[in-house]
């Protein structure tokens, strides 16, 4: 049995992992999907000062209070970029492996907002100002984004539209604070929206990709949507099971 902690990216909660978590539990694993503060069933707790530190503390406290050890810590998108490296940096003795789902760890001092182009940063900031009360980033138009997915299981799009909630903007703009301790842990990158070749091409020229320089065995390609827990949940669960 392996212990997994599953941390979702922007706009999502623990509910996003339902199919993946059920698959892993069916294989005998101990699985802890997590809704970060202000997300999922904890949406009512969102505040203007909910930031990256809040979300890092969410994961640290889950591991501490559930007394979890040898954890495979899985982060999708934003959670992979800044949340799980920050957790592992502070609690490396409880983590056995980091898994980044269509993401990679950003360097110390870089925020999730800075991963986007200046144009996208400006658009998001304007959305926050005009449609997010000045402190929340609204969910995207899921139906439009889903047009890029080969096929979504029945009900997946409806659940995304019904259950996703605005992302506290301070979680997007707060920089990661890392000492480098996390870098000693084994890791796996599950690539959906880009290939290993594309990652390799960017490592030396784009600072945000610097920490994705790992052995080829630390990559798994799962081509498809940026949200594989919805369009390819069985394949994603199988990859996670492989690291057990």
């Amino acid at each position: 049995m392996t212990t997994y902690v599953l941390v979702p990216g922007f706009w999502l909660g623990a509910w996003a992992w339902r199919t993946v978590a059920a698959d892993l539990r069916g294989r005998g694993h101990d699985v802890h999907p997590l809704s970060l503060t202000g997300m999922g069933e904890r949406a009512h707790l969102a505040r203007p000062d909910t930031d990256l530190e809040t979300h890092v503390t969410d994961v640290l406290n889950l591991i501490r209070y559930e007394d979890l050890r040898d954890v495979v810590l899985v982060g999708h998108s934003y959670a992979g970029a800044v949340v799980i490296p920050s957790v592992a940096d502070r609690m490396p003795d409880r983590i056995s492996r980091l898994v980044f789902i269509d993401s990679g760890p950003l360097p110390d001092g870089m925020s999730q907002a800075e991963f986007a182009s200046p144009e996208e940063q400006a658009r998001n900031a304007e959305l926050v100002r005009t449609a997010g009360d000045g402190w929340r980033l609204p969910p995207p138009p899921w139906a439009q984004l889903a047009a890029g997915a080969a096929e979504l299981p029945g009900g997946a799009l409806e659940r995304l539209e019904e259950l996703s909630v605005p992302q506290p903007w301070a979680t997007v703009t707060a920089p990661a604070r890392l000492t480098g301790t996390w870098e000693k842990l084994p890791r796996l990158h599950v690539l959906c929206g880009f290939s290993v070749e594309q990652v390799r091409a960017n490592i030396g020229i784009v600072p945000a990709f610097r920490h994705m320089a790992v052995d080829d065995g630390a990559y798994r390609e799962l081509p498809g949507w940026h949200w594989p827990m919805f369009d390819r949940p069985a394949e994603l669960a199988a990859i996670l099971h492989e690291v057990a």
Side-chain angles (χ1 to χ4, degrees):
M1 181 186 74
T2 297
T3 298
Y4 295 86
V5 171
L6 309 179
V7 190
F10 282 178
W11 309 297
L12 308 179
W15 60 269
W17 297 104
R18 182 178 299 171
T19 304
V20 173
D23 189 314
L24 290 172
R25 287 172 180 144
R27 298 172 188 260
H29 300 302
D30 183 26
V31 188
H32 299 261
L34 175 65
S35 288
L36 299 168
T37 297
M39 316 308 296
E41 76 280 5
R42 305 178 70 205
H44 62 290
L45 300 177
R47 297 168 24 137
D49 62 351
T50 301
D51 61 6
L52 173 60
E53 183 65 22
T54 308
H55 285 175
V56 171
T57 302
D58 286 333
V59 185
L60 289 169
N61 281 347
L62 172 69
I63 294 171
R64 176 189 174 197
Y65 284 98
E66 292 294 327
D67 195 24
L68 305 180
R69 299 176 186 275
D70 296 323
V71 172
V72 175
L73 184 56
V74 181
H76 169 252
S77 196
Y78 151 78
V82 289
V83 178
I84 69 169
S86 300
V87 171
D89 208 52
R90 301 184 200 184
M91 198 180 272
D93 57 312
R94 298 290 190 96
I95 311 299
S96 66
R97 184 180 299 270
L98 298 170
V99 181
F100 300 88
I101 307 297
D102 215 28
S103 68
L106 296 181
D108 174 57
M110 189 175 190
S111 70
Q112 179 69 40
E114 293 174 285
F115 183 73
S117 67
E119 294 77 17
E120 185 178 349
Q121 291 182 48
R123 286 195 300 271
N124 285 339
E126 182 65 9
L127 268 176
V128 171
R129 186 184 71 82
T130 59
D133 301 318
W135 64 275
R136 299 181 297 177
L137 179 65
W142 290 113
Q144 180 179 331
L145 292 180
E151 184 177 355
L152 289 179
L157 178 58
E158 290 76 10
R159 294 183 72 231
L160 276 165
E161 293 178 328
E162 177 185 359
L163 299 178
S164 61
V165 298
Q167 183 79 20
W169 187 235
T171 68
V172 187
T173 58
R177 297 301 181 195
L178 302 167
T179 68
T181 299
W182 70 272
E183 297 180 51
K184 301 172 185 177
L185 292 167
R187 70 184 88 158
L188 177 70
H189 292 270
V190 181
L191 307 178
C192 306
F194 43 94
S195 67
V196 174
E197 289 183 56
Q198 289 172 314
V199 170
R200 291 291 190 201
N202 280 294
I203 285 172
I205 57 176
V206 180
F209 281 78
R210 176 161 53 91
H211 287 305
M212 291 184 73
V214 292
D215 295 335
D216 286 342
Y219 296 114
R220 295 286 190 282
E221 291 189 349
L222 185 62
W225 210 28
H226 178 60
W227 294 269
M229 63 280 285
F230 293 108
D231 73 327
R232 303 190 68 179
E235 294 96 328
L236 177 57
I239 291 172
L240 294 177
H241 173 68
E242 286 177 12
V243 306

